[in-house]
Amino acid sequence: MTDVKIFIVEDNQLYLNVIERYLLDLGCENIHKFTSGEACIDNLFLKPEIIFLDYYMENLNGLEVLYKIKRFDPNVFAVG
């Protein structure tokens, strides 16, 4: 799991830290954190394999972000 590139997209800092801590405890090391859907979309060039995606966010909600992610790369696994 250490080489799997993971994005966490969560605008609530507490939840963001909890998810990150859980993944670190599982042995994941390649974790990128974003507090907005726009930041996630701007960094898709990093080619994540898994994205943990919050649904309720400002500006773009999780469904809108998911649509843009799948247009960029339909093979990315996104969990909401």
Side-chain angles (χ1 to χ4, degrees):
M1 286 286 293
T2 59
D3 61 337
V4 174
K5 190 173 296 176
I6 299 173
F7 279 14
I8 304 171
V9 187
E10 173 61 66
D11 60 350
N12 182 305
Q13 193 64 43
L14 175 64
Y15 293 151
L16 183 68
N17 292 337
V18 168
I19 296 167
E20 178 187 31
R21 178 80 268 157
Y22 180 74
L23 292 171
L24 289 170
D25 288 347
L26 289 175
C28 301
E29 296 176 359
N30 197 352
I31 301 170
H32 301 264
K33 302 181 293 182
F34 304 100
T35 57
S36 72
E38 294 90 345
C40 171
I41 292 165
D42 289 344
N43 285 279
L44 288 174
F45 70 91
L46 296 172
K47 300 188 185 272
E49 297 165 83
I50 300 171
I51 300 177
F52 290 88
L53 182 60
D54 182 15
Y55 180 78
Y56 297 104
M57 294 184 288
E58 297 288 323
N59 298 328
L60 292 175
N61 68 36
L63 194 56
E64 294 167 320
V65 175
L66 178 61
Y67 176 74
K68 292 177 185 260
I69 291 168
K70 290 300 187 174
R71 285 190 63 197
F72 182 84
D73 182 355
N75 297 314
V76 175
F77 184 74
V79 179

